[in-house]
Amino acid sequence: KEEPVVLGWMWISMVINGAILSIVIIAVYISALVLYCDGKVFQSDINQLDNFQGKLMDARTVAFISLVWAENVRSYTSRSFNRPIWHDVLGNVNMQ
């Protein structure tokens, strides 16, 4: 009962996964800002646009939906540290 729940290499894996996910979602948000906010990225520039609240809401929605999809994919890929993703993919009926 002295063994830790999360080993050192697992911590490293979790931190790297979190960092990659954060970078990707921030990049998606910036891309959505460029798309929906007429190429503006900074808040002071966006505030000067017509209907800036709606445009910001659209960009935030894109980032949120991307995060939700990424977490859904990660839930299937993070099931095991030593088995590939295609091994018993639909084995957990509660995730279906």
Side-chain angles (χ1 to χ4, degrees), residues 28-42 46 55-56 59-60:
V28 166
Y29 181 59
I30 291 171
S31 300
L33 283 176
V34 169
L35 177 68
Y36 289 107
C37 296
D38 304 329
K40 310 290 189 219
V41 177
F42 296 107
I46 294 171
K55 293 178 180 186
L56 273 176
R60 290 173 182 161

PDB file of all heavy atoms in Angstrom, residues 28-42 46 55-56 59-60:
ATOM      1  N   VAL A  28      -6.657  27.035 -31.973  1.00  0.00           N
ATOM      2  CA  VAL A  28      -7.992  26.998 -32.585  1.00  0.00           C
ATOM      3  C   VAL A  28      -8.744  28.288 -32.269  1.00  0.00           C
ATOM      4  O   VAL A  28      -9.393  28.870 -33.144  1.00  0.00           O
ATOM      5  CB  VAL A  28      -8.780  25.756 -32.091  1.00  0.00           C
ATOM      6  CG1 VAL A  28     -10.260  25.870 -32.434  1.00  0.00           C
ATOM      7  CG2 VAL A  28      -8.195  24.495 -32.680  1.00  0.00           C
ATOM      8  N   TYR A  29      -8.637  28.764 -31.043  1.00  0.00           N
ATOM      9  CA  TYR A  29      -9.323  29.991 -30.653  1.00  0.00           C
ATOM     10  C   TYR A  29      -8.785  31.200 -31.426  1.00  0.00           C
ATOM     11  O   TYR A  29      -9.552  32.031 -31.916  1.00  0.00           O
ATOM     12  CB  TYR A  29      -9.196  30.219 -29.149  1.00  0.00           C
ATOM     13  CG  TYR A  29      -9.896  31.464 -28.666  1.00  0.00           C
ATOM     14  CD1 TYR A  29     -11.256  31.645 -28.859  1.00  0.00           C
ATOM     15  CD2 TYR A  29      -9.195  32.465 -28.011  1.00  0.00           C
ATOM     16  CE1 TYR A  29     -11.904  32.780 -28.415  1.00  0.00           C
ATOM     17  CE2 TYR A  29      -9.839  33.606 -27.568  1.00  0.00           C
ATOM     18  CZ  TYR A  29     -11.189  33.756 -27.777  1.00  0.00           C
ATOM     19  OH  TYR A  29     -11.827  34.890 -27.343  1.00  0.00           O
ATOM     20  N   ILE A  30      -7.472  31.284 -31.550  1.00  0.00           N
ATOM     21  CA  ILE A  30      -6.878  32.382 -32.312  1.00  0.00           C
ATOM     22  C   ILE A  30      -7.303  32.303 -33.777  1.00  0.00           C
ATOM     23  O   ILE A  30      -7.633  33.324 -34.393  1.00  0.00           O
ATOM     24  CB  ILE A  30      -5.345  32.383 -32.155  1.00  0.00           C
ATOM     25  CG1 ILE A  30      -4.981  32.775 -30.725  1.00  0.00           C
ATOM     26  CG2 ILE A  30      -4.684  33.336 -33.145  1.00  0.00           C
ATOM     27  CD1 ILE A  30      -3.515  32.611 -30.380  1.00  0.00           C
ATOM     28  N   SER A  31      -7.321  31.106 -34.341  1.00  0.00           N
ATOM     29  CA  SER A  31      -7.781  30.939 -35.727  1.00  0.00           C
ATOM     30  C   SER A  31      -9.244  31.350 -35.874  1.00  0.00           C
ATOM     31  O   SER A  31      -9.624  31.985 -36.870  1.00  0.00           O
ATOM     32  CB  SER A  31      -7.612  29.491 -36.174  1.00  0.00           C
ATOM     33  OG  SER A  31      -6.268  29.103 -36.116  1.00  0.00           O
ATOM     34  N   ALA A  32     -10.072  30.998 -34.904  1.00  0.00           N
ATOM     35  CA  ALA A  32     -11.481  31.383 -34.945  1.00  0.00           C
ATOM     36  C   ALA A  32     -11.640  32.892 -34.793  1.00  0.00           C
ATOM     37  O   ALA A  32     -12.513  33.494 -35.431  1.00  0.00           O
ATOM     38  CB  ALA A  32     -12.259  30.651 -33.851  1.00  0.00           C
ATOM     39  N   LEU A  33     -10.798  33.513 -33.970  1.00  0.00           N
ATOM     40  CA  LEU A  33     -10.834  34.973 -33.863  1.00  0.00           C
ATOM     41  C   LEU A  33     -10.508  35.621 -35.202  1.00  0.00           C
ATOM     42  O   LEU A  33     -11.174  36.569 -35.628  1.00  0.00           O
ATOM     43  CB  LEU A  33      -9.849  35.466 -32.800  1.00  0.00           C
ATOM     44  CG  LEU A  33     -10.255  35.311 -31.345  1.00  0.00           C
ATOM     45  CD1 LEU A  33      -9.114  35.755 -30.438  1.00  0.00           C
ATOM     46  CD2 LEU A  33     -11.515  36.093 -31.044  1.00  0.00           C
ATOM     47  N   VAL A  34      -9.478  35.118 -35.852  1.00  0.00           N
ATOM     48  CA  VAL A  34      -9.101  35.661 -37.165  1.00  0.00           C
ATOM     49  C   VAL A  34     -10.244  35.486 -38.153  1.00  0.00           C
ATOM     50  O   VAL A  34     -10.562  36.400 -38.928  1.00  0.00           O
ATOM     51  CB  VAL A  34      -7.801  34.990 -37.671  1.00  0.00           C
ATOM     52  CG1 VAL A  34      -7.534  35.328 -39.114  1.00  0.00           C
ATOM     53  CG2 VAL A  34      -6.621  35.394 -36.797  1.00  0.00           C
ATOM     54  N   LEU A  35     -10.889  34.340 -38.127  1.00  0.00           N
ATOM     55  CA  LEU A  35     -11.975  34.061 -39.061  1.00  0.00           C
ATOM     56  C   LEU A  35     -13.212  34.919 -38.781  1.00  0.00           C
ATOM     57  O   LEU A  35     -13.757  35.559 -39.678  1.00  0.00           O
ATOM     58  CB  LEU A  35     -12.342  32.575 -39.016  1.00  0.00           C
ATOM     59  CG  LEU A  35     -13.508  32.156 -39.903  1.00  0.00           C
ATOM     60  CD1 LEU A  35     -13.119  32.278 -41.368  1.00  0.00           C
ATOM     61  CD2 LEU A  35     -13.935  30.741 -39.574  1.00  0.00           C
ATOM     62  N   TYR A  36     -13.666  34.933 -37.542  1.00  0.00           N
ATOM     63  CA  TYR A  36     -14.924  35.593 -37.210  1.00  0.00           C
ATOM     64  C   TYR A  36     -14.779  37.084 -36.904  1.00  0.00           C
ATOM     65  O   TYR A  36     -15.744  37.833 -37.033  1.00  0.00           O
ATOM     66  CB  TYR A  36     -15.588  34.909 -36.011  1.00  0.00           C
ATOM     67  CG  TYR A  36     -16.138  33.556 -36.350  1.00  0.00           C
ATOM     68  CD1 TYR A  36     -15.511  32.404 -35.908  1.00  0.00           C
ATOM     69  CD2 TYR A  36     -17.284  33.432 -37.118  1.00  0.00           C
ATOM     70  CE1 TYR A  36     -16.012  31.161 -36.224  1.00  0.00           C
ATOM     71  CE2 TYR A  36     -17.800  32.193 -37.442  1.00  0.00           C
ATOM     72  CZ  TYR A  36     -17.148  31.060 -36.988  1.00  0.00           C
ATOM     73  OH  TYR A  36     -17.659  29.831 -37.314  1.00  0.00           O
ATOM     74  N   CYS A  37     -13.618  37.515 -36.478  1.00  0.00           N
ATOM     75  CA  CYS A  37     -13.424  38.909 -36.061  1.00  0.00           C
ATOM     76  C   CYS A  37     -12.629  39.704 -37.089  1.00  0.00           C
ATOM     77  O   CYS A  37     -11.869  40.611 -36.725  1.00  0.00           O
ATOM     78  CB  CYS A  37     -12.763  38.962 -34.693  1.00  0.00           C
ATOM     79  SG  CYS A  37     -13.774  38.267 -33.394  1.00  0.00           S
ATOM     80  N   ASP A  38     -12.765  39.362 -38.336  1.00  0.00           N
ATOM     81  CA  ASP A  38     -12.167  40.127 -39.442  1.00  0.00           C
ATOM     82  C   ASP A  38     -10.658  40.285 -39.301  1.00  0.00           C
ATOM     83  O   ASP A  38     -10.107  41.347 -39.574  1.00  0.00           O
ATOM     84  CB  ASP A  38     -12.834  41.505 -39.555  1.00  0.00           C
ATOM     85  CG  ASP A  38     -14.339  41.410 -39.717  1.00  0.00           C
ATOM     86  OD1 ASP A  38     -14.799  40.412 -40.312  1.00  0.00           O
ATOM     87  OD2 ASP A  38     -15.049  42.314 -39.244  1.00  0.00           O
ATOM     88  N   GLY A  39      -9.981  39.248 -38.865  1.00  0.00           N
ATOM     89  CA  GLY A  39      -8.529  39.272 -38.761  1.00  0.00           C
ATOM     90  C   GLY A  39      -7.995  39.898 -37.495  1.00  0.00           C
ATOM     91  O   GLY A  39      -6.784  39.987 -37.312  1.00  0.00           O
ATOM     92  N   LYS A  40      -8.863  40.337 -36.612  1.00  0.00           N
ATOM     93  CA  LYS A  40      -8.437  40.969 -35.349  1.00  0.00           C
ATOM     94  C   LYS A  40      -8.257  39.888 -34.290  1.00  0.00           C
ATOM     95  O   LYS A  40      -9.030  38.948 -34.203  1.00  0.00           O
ATOM     96  CB  LYS A  40      -9.467  41.979 -34.861  1.00  0.00           C
ATOM     97  CG  LYS A  40      -9.913  42.978 -35.888  1.00  0.00           C
ATOM     98  CD  LYS A  40      -8.834  43.945 -36.233  1.00  0.00           C
ATOM     99  CE  LYS A  40      -9.424  45.052 -37.096  1.00  0.00           C
ATOM    100  NZ  LYS A  40      -8.565  45.474 -38.148  1.00  0.00           N
ATOM    101  N   VAL A  41      -7.225  40.065 -33.468  1.00  0.00           N
ATOM    102  CA  VAL A  41      -6.950  39.097 -32.414  1.00  0.00           C
ATOM    103  C   VAL A  41      -6.977  39.754 -31.037  1.00  0.00           C
ATOM    104  O   VAL A  41      -7.375  39.134 -30.058  1.00  0.00           O
ATOM    105  CB  VAL A  41      -5.584  38.406 -32.654  1.00  0.00           C
ATOM    106  CG1 VAL A  41      -5.237  37.449 -31.539  1.00  0.00           C
ATOM    107  CG2 VAL A  41      -5.582  37.677 -33.983  1.00  0.00           C
ATOM    108  N   PHE A  42      -6.576  41.004 -30.963  1.00  0.00           N
ATOM    109  CA  PHE A  42      -6.486  41.685 -29.674  1.00  0.00           C
ATOM    110  C   PHE A  42      -7.822  42.288 -29.269  1.00  0.00           C
ATOM    111  O   PHE A  42      -8.588  42.781 -30.103  1.00  0.00           O
ATOM    112  CB  PHE A  42      -5.404  42.765 -29.719  1.00  0.00           C
ATOM    113  CG  PHE A  42      -4.032  42.192 -29.940  1.00  0.00           C
ATOM    114  CD1 PHE A  42      -3.392  42.349 -31.160  1.00  0.00           C
ATOM    115  CD2 PHE A  42      -3.399  41.474 -28.947  1.00  0.00           C
ATOM    116  CE1 PHE A  42      -2.141  41.814 -31.376  1.00  0.00           C
ATOM    117  CE2 PHE A  42      -2.154  40.931 -29.143  1.00  0.00           C
ATOM    118  CZ  PHE A  42      -1.516  41.091 -30.360  1.00  0.00           C
ATOM    119  N   ILE A  46     -10.895  44.175 -31.348  1.00  0.00           N
ATOM    120  CA  ILE A  46     -12.182  43.480 -31.513  1.00  0.00           C
ATOM    121  C   ILE A  46     -13.325  44.331 -30.980  1.00  0.00           C
ATOM    122  O   ILE A  46     -14.414  44.354 -31.556  1.00  0.00           O
ATOM    123  CB  ILE A  46     -12.127  42.100 -30.826  1.00  0.00           C
ATOM    124  CG1 ILE A  46     -11.132  41.198 -31.549  1.00  0.00           C
ATOM    125  CG2 ILE A  46     -13.500  41.453 -30.779  1.00  0.00           C
ATOM    126  CD1 ILE A  46     -10.845  39.899 -30.851  1.00  0.00           C
ATOM    127  N   LYS A  55     -19.495  38.067 -32.566  1.00  0.00           N
ATOM    128  CA  LYS A  55     -18.305  37.492 -33.193  1.00  0.00           C
ATOM    129  C   LYS A  55     -17.424  36.790 -32.170  1.00  0.00           C
ATOM    130  O   LYS A  55     -16.890  35.704 -32.434  1.00  0.00           O
ATOM    131  CB  LYS A  55     -17.531  38.582 -33.924  1.00  0.00           C
ATOM    132  CG  LYS A  55     -18.293  39.135 -35.109  1.00  0.00           C
ATOM    133  CD  LYS A  55     -17.550  40.252 -35.795  1.00  0.00           C
ATOM    134  CE  LYS A  55     -18.373  40.770 -36.971  1.00  0.00           C
ATOM    135  NZ  LYS A  55     -17.648  41.750 -37.752  1.00  0.00           N
ATOM    136  N   LEU A  56     -17.282  37.399 -30.991  1.00  0.00           N
ATOM    137  CA  LEU A  56     -16.519  36.741 -29.923  1.00  0.00           C
ATOM    138  C   LEU A  56     -17.204  35.460 -29.469  1.00  0.00           C
ATOM    139  O   LEU A  56     -16.543  34.448 -29.206  1.00  0.00           O
ATOM    140  CB  LEU A  56     -16.359  37.679 -28.726  1.00  0.00           C
ATOM    141  CG  LEU A  56     -15.187  38.620 -28.733  1.00  0.00           C
ATOM    142  CD1 LEU A  56     -15.229  39.540 -27.515  1.00  0.00           C
ATOM    143  CD2 LEU A  56     -13.877  37.872 -28.783  1.00  0.00           C
ATOM    144  N   ALA A  59     -16.393  32.699 -31.928  1.00  0.00           N
ATOM    145  CA  ALA A  59     -15.022  32.202 -31.774  1.00  0.00           C
ATOM    146  C   ALA A  59     -14.886  31.346 -30.513  1.00  0.00           C
ATOM    147  O   ALA A  59     -14.233  30.296 -30.529  1.00  0.00           O
ATOM    148  CB  ALA A  59     -14.036  33.372 -31.733  1.00  0.00           C
ATOM    149  N   ARG A  60     -15.520  31.771 -29.444  1.00  0.00           N
ATOM    150  CA  ARG A  60     -15.466  30.989 -28.199  1.00  0.00           C
ATOM    151  C   ARG A  60     -16.197  29.667 -28.348  1.00  0.00           C
ATOM    152  O   ARG A  60     -15.771  28.646 -27.798  1.00  0.00           O
ATOM    153  CB  ARG A  60     -16.071  31.798 -27.053  1.00  0.00           C
ATOM    154  CG  ARG A  60     -15.213  32.972 -26.646  1.00  0.00           C
ATOM    155  CD  ARG A  60     -15.894  33.844 -25.631  1.00  0.00           C
ATOM    156  NE  ARG A  60     -15.056  34.991 -25.304  1.00  0.00           N
ATOM    157  CZ  ARG A  60     -15.512  36.092 -24.740  1.00  0.00           C
ATOM    158  NH1 ARG A  60     -16.796  36.210 -24.434  1.00  0.00           N
ATOM    159  NH2 ARG A  60     -14.690  37.083 -24.486  1.00  0.00           N
TER     160      ARG A  60
END
